[in-house]
Structures are given as C-alpha cells and as structure tokens.
C-alpha cells in the first residue's frame, strides 16, 4: 500500500499489524508524553490518540447507586432478564472479553460470559446506542456501552436521543481493582512509508491539546491527553481509573475470547 499511516481502532488490530510487520517504530517525545505507557506499543509502532471506555450504563430510576460496580457483577443472577449488550461480533465486546480472559483466566471468563448471556433481556441486536435506548424505554435496566455513544445521544439534535441518554447513568466498572476496560483509536507509520516526517507530524498533531479538545467535543471519545480541558459531557462523568493491565495482551487473548463467545451462545 502507498499509505504512510495506519489509523484505526482496537489495540488488538494494531498489535496484529505490528506482528505482521506492517508498521515501523517512531521515536517522539510528544507522542510518548501524550499517553500512559501501557496504552501504547512499547516499541513505538503505534500510539493512541483517544480512548474508548467500555462501561455499564444503568437506568437512573431502577438501579440504585452501588448496586452494580464491576463487569463481574453483570454475570450475577440478580440481573437475570435485566441486561442488554450488542453482538459478540463487535470488536468492542471481543476486546472486553479478552480483557476478562487476561485478568481472570479462561475458565472464569467462560463462566462470566455464560452468566452474562443468561441475563440478557433479549438476544443481542443493534449497536450500543440501541441498547441505551432500550434501557431508557424500560426493556432492561443495565447495558454495556462505550461512553462516546452516550455522549453522542446526550448531545444529539434529536430530543428523543437526548431523553434516552438522560435516562441512564454511567458506571465506571472495577474502580477498586483493575479499572475500566478502554480500547484505543491509534495511529502508526507504515513499514514502507515514503513521508515518515509528515506522518509523524500528523500523529503529533492528533495529540495536540487543540485537536484533543476538538475530538472530545465531537466524537466524545476520551482524550489520551489528561491535561486538556474535556468536554462538559466528560466533565459530568468525572475521572476514572483505566485498566492498563490487560490492554497489552489483547491480541493474545482474543482467539480465546472468540471461542468463549461461541461456547456461551453470545450471538
Ligand atoms: Fe463505535
């Protein structure tokens, strides 16, 4: 490919691109200082420019504060018939399960996935926004979603979207242990890039405070640069602890995650 840059989402995908020799290392103090070391490639083959936090959203009027605190809680019997999530074909769910495999081991992860499936209020369908809308309409009490989909609903021009967003509250899971599962939007310079300095400059541009703020206020993904002023939406959600333990092993755990989804019957 004549491309100089690979810009994509999902750390697992970037880890595979590196393993297949599609990327080259980039040295940059700006990029190094822009994000926690655990959330980028140790050899500089790719750097994140935003974080995508996968959280639990709960109906404000039906779930009490503290009633659900962890991803593990999602598998508990008290949530039977009260939970929604999209299909396991979504890379967001694959990376979430890969993080559970890394954190808990494959047997615990398999039990977890089974428990989650048995709690579904309906078979997986639609995207994250559809789960939020369904919780708002009373079909279920909690769902799994990336925060930016809630951000998009809350800032939508459509009043029905805003109402759906306002019906749920964000629960950042596992704040007393490993933290919230976050995936990345990231970029890396391709192996055969002809314009390496320009590609590197573009990556540095993406993590500049101005661009980070712009992204935060349009896509509602989380800036990797903790120093920037976030959007009012992010400020209302508050700060949270990120799971930095499991992300580096995402591509290793993903094949196991796929098997577990099949066994659990998570469509
Ligand atoms: Fe998305």
């Amino acid at each position: 490919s004549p491309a100089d840059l690979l810009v994509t989402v999902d750390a697992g995908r970037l880890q595979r691109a590196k393993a297949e020799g599609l990327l080259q290392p980039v040295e940059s103090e700006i990029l190094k200082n822009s994000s926690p070391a655990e959330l980028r490639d140790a050899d500089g083959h790719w750097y994140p420019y935003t974080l995508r936090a996968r959280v639990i959203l709960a109906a404000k009027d039906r779930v009490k504060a503290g009633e659900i605190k962890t991803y593990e809680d999602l598998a508990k019997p008290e949530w039977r018939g009260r939970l929604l999530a999209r299909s396991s074909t979504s890379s967001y769910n694959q990376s979430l399960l890969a993080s559970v495999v890394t954190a808990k081991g494959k047997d615990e992860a398999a039990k977890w996935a089974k428990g989650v499936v048995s709690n579904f209020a309906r078979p997986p369908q639609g995207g994250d926004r559809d789960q939020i809308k369904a919780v708002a309409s009373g079909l279920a009490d909690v769902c799994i979603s990336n925060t930016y989909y809630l951000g998009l609903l809350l800032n939508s021009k459509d009043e029905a979207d805003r109402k759906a967003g306002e019906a749920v509250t964000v629960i950042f899971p596992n704040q007393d242990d490993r933290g919230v599962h976050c995936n990345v939007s990231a970029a890396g310079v391709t192996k055969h890039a002809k314009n390496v300095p320009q590609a590197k400059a573009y990556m540095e541009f993406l993590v500049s405070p101005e661009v980070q703020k712009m992204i935060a206020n349009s896509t509602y993904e989380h800036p990797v640069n903790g120093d920037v002023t976030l959007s009012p939406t992010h400020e209302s959600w508050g700060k949270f602890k990120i799971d930095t333990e499991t992300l580096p092993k995402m591509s290793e755990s993903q094949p196991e995650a796929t098997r577990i989804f099949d066994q659990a019957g998570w469509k």
Side-chain angles (χ1 to χ4, degrees):
S1 159
D4 293 313
L5 261 182
L6 173 67
V7 182
T8 187
V9 298
D10 185 35
R13 201 176 284 167
L14 287 143
Q15 286 160 2
R16 285 196 296 279
K18 179 192 178 188
E20 285 168 23
L22 303 178
L23 300 171
Q24 62 170 290
V26 169
E27 266 296 319
S28 161
E29 284 309 308
I30 292 173
L31 291 171
K32 274 188 186 161
N33 292 331
S34 67
S35 58
E38 298 87 349
L39 300 181
R40 58 175 196 260
D41 178 49
D43 307 316
H45 284 73
W46 54 268
Y47 292 88
Y49 62 92
T50 57
L51 300 179
R52 312 172 132 228
R54 197 143 186 78
V55 299
I56 299 167
L57 300 179
K60 281 179 182 166
D61 60 350
R62 299 187 299 278
V63 179
K64 290 195 268 317
E67 214 181 328
I68 186 159
K69 292 175 83 176
T70 65
Y71 298 110
E72 289 71 30
D73 287 344
L74 291 167
K76 291 185 175 166
E78 54 259 43
W79 299 99
R80 191 125 312 158
R82 301 172 69 192
L83 169 64
L84 289 174
R86 72 196 296 171
S87 159
S88 68
T89 56
S90 151
S91 66
Y92 309 149
N93 284 340
Q94 287 166 14
S95 72
L96 173 60
L97 181 53
S99 78
V100 178
V101 170
T102 304
K104 299 276 173 182
K106 60 180 181 182
D107 294 342
E108 280 300 309
K111 269 190 225 159
W112 178 77
K114 272 211 167 109
V116 168
V117 169
S118 56
N119 287 343
F120 283 157
R122 68 172 178 197
Q125 55 183 269
D128 284 359
R129 267 174 287 205
D130 298 307
Q131 317 312 318
I132 302 171
K133 288 175 184 172
V135 169
S137 75
L139 188 80
D141 297 335
V142 291
C143 69
I144 303 171
S145 173
N146 290 351
T147 49
Y148 62 86
Y149 286 115
L150 177 60
L152 290 167
L153 288 179
L154 289 170
N155 293 280
S156 168
K157 288 195 175 76
D158 182 339
E159 199 195 338
D161 283 353
R162 292 197 302 275
K163 280 220 163 109
E166 282 156 12
V168 298
T169 188
V170 178
I171 295 159
F172 289 111
N174 297 68
Q175 294 301 282
D176 298 330
D177 48 83
R178 67 184 181 276
V180 176
H181 170 62
C182 288
N183 212 321
V184 295
S185 297
V189 177
T190 59
K191 180 86 168 196
H192 301 290
K194 296 203 171 57
N195 305 292
V196 172
Q198 289 87 343
K200 182 175 150 182
Y202 184 76
M203 287 165 66
E204 291 175 344
F205 173 72
L206 286 175
V207 298
S208 65
E210 298 80 359
V211 176
Q212 288 280 299
K213 190 172 176 178
M214 223 168 70
I215 296 173
N217 284 282
S218 54
T219 69
Y220 301 97
E221 293 185 31
H222 296 269
V224 284
N225 184 341
D227 298 332
V228 301
T229 307
L230 304 175
S231 74
T233 300
H234 288 95
E235 262 162 25
S236 75
W237 295 335
K239 301 229 174 212
F240 57 94
K241 180 184 173 185
I242 297 168
D243 173 4
T244 53
E245 288 169 34
T246 66
L247 191 98
K249 292 179 182 152
M250 185 155 313
S251 70
E252 278 171 47
S253 298
Q254 250 166 1
E256 192 63 54
T258 306
R259 270 192 295 277
I260 290 172
F261 272 136
D262 283 347
Q263 283 163 3
W266 188 325
K267 281 195 188 168

